[in-house]
Amino acid sequence: MKSIIKVIKGGLIGIGNILPGISGSMIAVILNIYQELIDALNNIFTHPVKAVKSVWQYIVGAILGILLGLLVVSYLLDIIPLPITLLFVGFIIGAIPTLYKQFRGTTVKWHHIVVFLAAAVMMLSVIFLPENTSEVHGFWYHVSVVFVGVIYAIAMIIPGLSGATMLMAFGFYDILLEMVDSISTVVSSGDIGAGVSQLPVLLLLILGAAIGLVVMGKIMAIFMKRFPKHFIVAVLGIVVVSPINILVLLQRDTVGNVYAKPWYIYLISLVAFIIGIYATLKLANGQKKTEGETLND
């Protein structure tokens, strides 16, 4: 049962990594597994087997979540964007009580308030980032691929940052789409020669992601160790305002008025919102039970 719960949590992180305005790392914090993932990331070179063994369920879940997101969630976002989006907004809102419990008992000081407000403002500022486009060729295209990996990895590490949004802001989103289309064409056609030609680009992407994960993983590990309460406060600030970002970016990324819908769509959206809240609370209770069973054993 414990492994199943971990796979489900990993799946939610994977789905969160590809949805507009949502951060997989923020979901990891909400599910109270962020520290565990950061620790494993920091031990990947010194104790690789132990590190992978401690989080392999999350990795499997994340891979399944990304595949599910690409195949199903992306399709549902096209046909019923509002209910699917509010499902995840409910999932995020439902995490506020769990996050608050981690801060409860701490005396609120002025610097906690400053961190909360700074995180909230930073999150809201993402809305105003202009979408740029980059036209690069040859050598600079390959350099840009590395940056795509770095930026996406950083967004995966820092709670609240959406990888897709950051790539759009820096003008690298089209490059990622081109790579995905190329790889999809290779897979569907079975053209081994074309697949080999895409291998250098894929390796550059992996290199960029590895650099981003290792560097930001170290930075976040130090920050969480020295300022654990400030980290929770910052995440609370991000979580409280993130629904605004998600709903605004949903309209920006959707053709037509996404909110001009019949009443029953809003009713379905409300039900999805409640289900999201319930799912988060249920997962949080499941985590507590499995931790209690582990201690009793």
Side-chain angles (χ1 to χ4, degrees):
M1 185 64 183
K2 185 177 179 180
S3 294
I4 294 175
I5 291 176
K6 285 187 174 183
V7 171
I8 292 173
K9 290 183 176 183
L12 292 172
I13 293 172
I15 293 174
N17 275 323
I18 65 169
L19 290 178
I22 298 180
S23 164
S25 53
M26 181 175 67
I27 292 177
V29 175
I30 288 170
L31 297 175
N32 199 28
I33 61 175
Y34 185 79
Q35 179 71 65
E36 190 176 350
L37 295 175
I38 290 294
D39 289 342
L41 181 61
N42 284 325
N43 293 328
I44 196 66
F45 293 115
T46 55
H47 304 91
V49 176
K50 183 179 179 181
V52 173
K53 187 178 179 180
S54 65
V55 295
W56 70 267
Q57 296 100 326
Y58 300 131
I59 296 173
V60 171
I63 294 172
L64 293 175
I66 291 172
L67 293 175
L68 179 66
L70 290 172
L71 296 174
V72 179
V73 177
S74 296
Y75 173 73
L76 292 177
L77 278 172
D78 289 335
I79 59 174
I80 48 170
L82 198 56
I84 294 300
T85 300
L86 283 177
L87 173 68
F88 278 87
V89 169
F91 176 72
I92 292 169
I93 293 297
I96 293 177
T98 303
L99 289 170
Y100 177 73
K101 286 179 182 179
Q102 297 181 47
F103 186 77
R104 192 170 56 189
T106 304
T107 303
V108 179
K109 299 182 179 179
W110 66 268
H111 44 84
H112 293 134
I113 298 174
V114 169
V115 170
F116 178 88
L117 293 175
V121 170
M122 181 197 72
M123 186 67 181
L124 287 174
S125 66
V126 174
I127 296 174
F128 303 101
L129 288 174
E131 183 177 344
N132 297 321
T133 56
S134 291
E135 293 185 4
V136 290
H137 305 279
F139 172 76
W140 290 111
Y141 173 81
H142 292 87
V143 173
S144 298
V145 169
V146 177
F147 275 108
V148 167
V150 172
I151 292 170
Y152 208 82
I154 290 174
M156 289 173 65
I157 291 290
I158 301 178
L161 287 185
S162 167
T165 302
M166 296 307 296
L167 290 177
M168 287 178 182
F170 284 100
F172 293 138
Y173 192 68
D174 289 339
I175 294 174
L176 180 62
L177 290 180
E178 289 175 8
M179 292 177 57
V180 172
D181 288 340
S182 299
I183 294 171
S184 299
T185 302
V186 169
V187 172
S188 60
S189 65
D191 188 346
I192 299 177
V196 172
S197 67
Q198 290 294 321
L199 188 59
V201 176
L202 184 60
L203 291 176
L204 287 173
L205 180 68
I206 294 172
L207 173 63
I211 293 171
L213 285 172
V214 171
V215 173
M216 285 308 304
K218 295 289 184 183
I219 293 173
M220 292 305 297
I222 294 171
F223 182 80
M224 291 176 66
K225 184 177 180 179
R226 295 185 179 180
F227 309 104
K229 296 300 181 182
H230 291 83
F231 177 78
I232 296 299
V233 169
V235 174
L236 273 170
I238 291 170
V239 167
V240 168
V241 301
S242 63
I244 300 174
N245 283 48
I246 293 170
L247 294 173
V248 170
L249 291 172
L250 173 67
Q251 179 58 66
R252 183 188 298 179
D253 298 333
T254 305
V255 178
N257 187 352
V258 73
Y259 298 111
K261 301 295 181 182
W263 65 268
Y264 59 85
I265 294 295
Y266 279 92
L267 179 60
I268 295 172
S269 301
L270 177 61
V271 173
F273 176 72
I274 295 172
I275 290 174
I277 294 176
Y278 176 78
T280 303
L281 296 175
K282 197 70 175 176
L283 280 172
N285 291 333
Q287 176 73 13
K288 291 178 182 177
K289 288 180 180 179
T290 54
E291 287 176 352
E293 290 171 0
T294 301
L295 290 174
N296 292 332
D297 293 342

